[in-house]
Amino acid sequence: MSSRPPLALLGAAPAFDTPLPVGQLNFPDWNSYVEAMRSIFERQYYTNHGPLVQALESTLQERLGVRHVIAVTNATIGLIMAAEALQLHGKVITPAFSFVATAQSLSWAGLEPLFCDVDRDSQHLCPKAVEAALEEPEVSAILAVNLWGDFADVPRLRALAQRRGIPLYLDSAHAFGCVSEEGPAGTLGEVEVFSFHATKVLGATEGGCICTSDDTLAARLRNIRSSYGAGPPVPVARTANGRMSEAQAAIALLELDRFPALVERNRKLFSTYKAGLEDLPGLHLRMPQRAIETNYQYVVCEIDASTFGFDRDALQTVLRAENVLARRYFYPGIHRVHPYCDMMLPPDGLPHTDALCTRLLQLPLGQRVDISDAKLICDLIHRARTHSGAVLKALETRR
Ligand code: T4K
């Protein structure tokens, strides 16, 4: 009698009928969505700093405890606007271990990213590497990234920036709702940018916001964003259209109401993954390190091929065959892709960035995943490790 294959890669039916993505994809309840859209239709006002955008900005200002929140249409334009408002020039120190938008924002602002390695353990910008990079001429800022719902070592980076007399600003695309010992995300950098993309815990289809407590920067940012809602004109070199629409703001406001419930749901899912994976040799589940409150934006696993039996890419293939759309954030490192692959790197390269880019895998979380799904995904990963020989053979015959 032949036994059933343990995995789809080995001939079984996929464990999930429909694909399970990694993004949060938290859609609001249909009726509240319809109500919100009805109010926009009644007002006949789609965009240009409308009442819902204004309500979102003031709600976020109060909630985060920051003087200015400037809503924008996505975090990428928010980061470009931040570089413009800070009036940067030359080079900006930043990690290559991030989504490509971090570096692209600098390119769009006419700046050159000066890539620094991350700390191997925290996976965030390494202050020692930054200190060495600050020896370079023409460095006008540090752009650190707060990843996964956790934080960079902001106090040490801020001290380095202050010593050099340059700003520290933050790509906090993943960090909405997170709190560190130094305070909530949104209050930590001279300027800080959140993303409200659909894959984020607070999703507004697209969207984002820029936070600052500096009145001059805020005035510049509002003028760069657009003429509408800008307040008195202030001199800025370039303007853009970074305006958030009323439809985006409506969804952001709905999601803000249920944000604590969304984070609590993520927490339960994360605990399920933790219980299911923590004793598995060769797989390390990353825990928040500096966040005292996290939003659990991503479940991040590091695969050590020599102990696990096969590498991260093989595990991704195993899971994809099951309809589990695990992702390789971030792969390749930004320093490995055009137009950044010819840029100057530190003498030893970016070894920690390179290691993480080949070893990290993100597992599904968010609205489409429930506890039993997370348990089944853990079980599939266990099965894959148990049958590593057969998995390797199946992958070999696929090549
Ligand atoms: N800085 C950092 C550190 C960032 O991570 C990001 C964005 C930014 C800056 C810039 O923020 P934004 O300008 O985007 O506001 C996604 C997101 O598009 C991007 O926002 C995010 N980071 C990045 C890490 O991930 P992709 O191309 O890897 O994901 P995508 O679109 O393939 O979606 C993931 C999965 O979700 C797929 O399986 C498809 C599924 N999906 C996605 C959407 C949008 C759905 O089923 N429904 C959907 O509506 O970039």
Side-chain angles (χ1 to χ4, degrees):
M1 199 177 83
S2 68
S3 59
R4 262 180 54 208
L7 293 162
L9 186 81
L10 304 178
F16 296 96
D17 293 337
T18 49
L20 275 188
V22 292
Q24 297 278 329
L25 306 170
N26 295 318
F27 282 60
D29 150 72
W30 178 250
N31 290 333
S32 27
Y33 172 79
V34 170
E35 265 321 296
M37 293 305 130
R38 196 193 313 281
S39 80
I40 294 172
F41 276 58
E42 280 167 4
R43 277 191 297 277
Q44 298 269 297
Y45 200 92
Y46 266 151
T47 187
N48 293 349
H49 210 242
L52 295 178
V53 169
Q54 291 176 45
L56 178 66
E57 289 183 342
S58 54
T59 307
L60 290 175
Q61 276 161 204
E62 201 174 308
R63 207 155 152 157
L64 299 170
V66 65
R67 268 177 79 79
H68 304 279
V69 168
I70 295 106
V72 286
T73 194
N74 60 62
T76 305
I77 189 93
L79 288 166
I80 297 169
M81 289 167 56
E84 285 281 328
L86 287 163
Q87 299 180 332
L88 305 180
H89 55 85
K91 297 176 186 167
V92 172
I93 291 175
T94 199
F97 188 63
S98 184
F99 193 58
V100 69
T102 309
Q104 284 287 340
S105 71
L106 299 173
S107 303
W108 278 104
L111 300 161
E112 189 183 322
L114 184 58
F115 294 122
C116 265
D117 211 357
V118 290
D119 178 77
R120 183 69 181 78
D121 189 39
S122 75
Q123 305 178 357
H124 285 74
L125 197 54
C126 171
K128 266 196 153 172
V130 170
E131 195 168 8
L134 283 169
E135 300 293 320
E136 285 285 320
E138 294 179 48
V139 174
S140 65
I142 302 172
L143 168 56
V145 184
N146 291 323
L147 287 177
W148 317 136
D150 205 358
F151 290 92
D153 189 346
V154 173
R156 279 179 72 193
L157 294 171
R158 188 188 295 123
L160 289 169
Q162 279 171 353
R163 206 191 309 154
R164 177 72 184 259
I166 57 174
L168 167 71
Y169 71 114
L170 300 171
D171 176 345
S172 286
H174 297 187
F176 185 80
C178 300
V179 181
S180 74
E181 269 175 11
E182 294 79 39
T187 63
L188 303 176
E190 258 169 75
V191 180
E192 200 162 340
V193 179
F194 293 116
S195 170
F196 301 151
H197 183 258
T199 52
K200 302 297 184 289
V201 187
L202 184 74
T205 68
E206 295 279 357
C209 73
I210 314 174
C211 301
T212 183
S213 288
D214 182 310
D215 295 346
T216 308
L217 285 176
R220 281 189 210 141
L221 284 162
R222 291 198 176 98
N223 276 261
I224 293 168
R225 177 181 60 184
S226 74
S227 50
Y228 292 92
V234 296
V236 290
R238 278 179 287 222
T239 58
N241 176 1
R243 294 187 293 266
M244 179 185 266
S245 74
E246 285 291 275
Q248 286 175 286
I251 298 175
L253 284 163
L254 290 174
E255 294 300 273
L256 210 48
D257 280 348
R258 61 187 197 122
F259 188 75
L262 296 173
V263 172
E264 177 54 16
R265 193 169 186 288
N266 271 352
R267 188 192 65 73
K268 287 188 178 140
L269 286 167
F270 192 90
S271 303
T272 307
Y273 280 117
K274 183 167 178 280
L277 298 174
E278 67 185 344
D279 295 329
L280 191 60
L283 185 149
H284 171 72
L285 183 70
R286 186 187 186 281
M287 300 301 291
Q289 296 187 359
R290 298 191 71 87
I292 54 176
E293 285 175 36
T294 178
N295 57 13
Y296 303 94
Q297 171 66 50
Y298 289 106
V299 180
V300 182
C301 298
E302 182 168 350
I303 310 301
D304 173 13
S306 61
T307 320
F308 192 77
F310 49 81
D311 65 14
R312 182 274 311 267
D313 290 357
L315 181 58
Q316 187 192 32
T317 307
V318 168
L319 291 174
R320 289 198 154 234
E322 308 287 357
N323 263 331
V324 176
L325 303 185
R327 287 300 278 262
R328 303 180 296 183
Y329 292 138
F330 301 100
Y331 177 81
I334 303 176
H335 62 304
R336 301 261 170 216
V337 296
H338 181 78
Y340 305 110
C341 47
D342 297 327
M343 282 186 172
M344 193 186 78
L345 292 178
D348 297 336
L350 304 174
H352 301 320
T353 300
D354 284 326
L356 294 171
C357 289
T358 56
R359 290 161 66 109
L360 295 193
L361 192 67
Q362 284 70 30
L363 300 177
L365 206 70
Q367 190 157 289
R368 293 197 202 158
V369 185
D370 61 27
I371 300 285
S372 62
D373 297 331
K375 283 185 179 158
L376 180 50
I377 293 169
C378 294
D379 185 42
L380 291 167
I381 295 172
H382 276 266
R383 270 188 247 168
R385 186 172 183 278
T386 307
H387 298 277
S388 59
V391 165
L392 284 169
K393 214 165 140 198
L395 291 172
E396 194 54 43
T397 49
R398 275 183 156 207
R399 273 195 205 121

